[in-house]
Amino acid sequence: MNLTFLPAHILAKRIRERHVSCQEVVTAYLERISQYNPRLNAIVTLDTEQVYQQGKKGG
């Protein structure tokens, strides 16, 4: 299951029901960014440490 293809409401439901953690979702998106951003150059600055901290706060 690729978390990055799920709609936000489904992700939220799976997090609430503890099927996935916020950390898993954050990691999936950061992996996707690292895979595609070198070609797309869509994200100029990415503070991964801050992203992980916010993910920890979410559960």
Side-chain angles (χ1 to χ4, degrees):
M1 161 186 58
N2 189 333
L3 297 174
T4 62
F5 288 113
L6 295 175
H9 73 281
I10 299 294
L11 275 176
K13 181 179 181 201
R14 290 190 178 181
I15 291 168
R16 277 193 310 273
E17 295 174 350
R18 302 203 185 277
H19 295 287
V20 296
S21 69
C22 291
Q23 289 288 350
E24 289 174 289
V25 174
V26 165
T27 299
Y29 274 98
L30 287 175
E31 287 173 359
R32 189 135 173 103
I33 289 168
S34 70
Q35 180 182 7
Y36 289 102
N37 197 56
R39 283 184 282 160
L40 298 173
N41 200 29
I43 298 174
V44 177
T45 303
L46 179 61
D47 186 352
T48 55
E49 197 57 41
Q50 177 69 19
V51 171
Y52 279 119
Q53 290 301 318
Q54 291 295 325
K56 286 180 185 177
K57 289 179 184 178

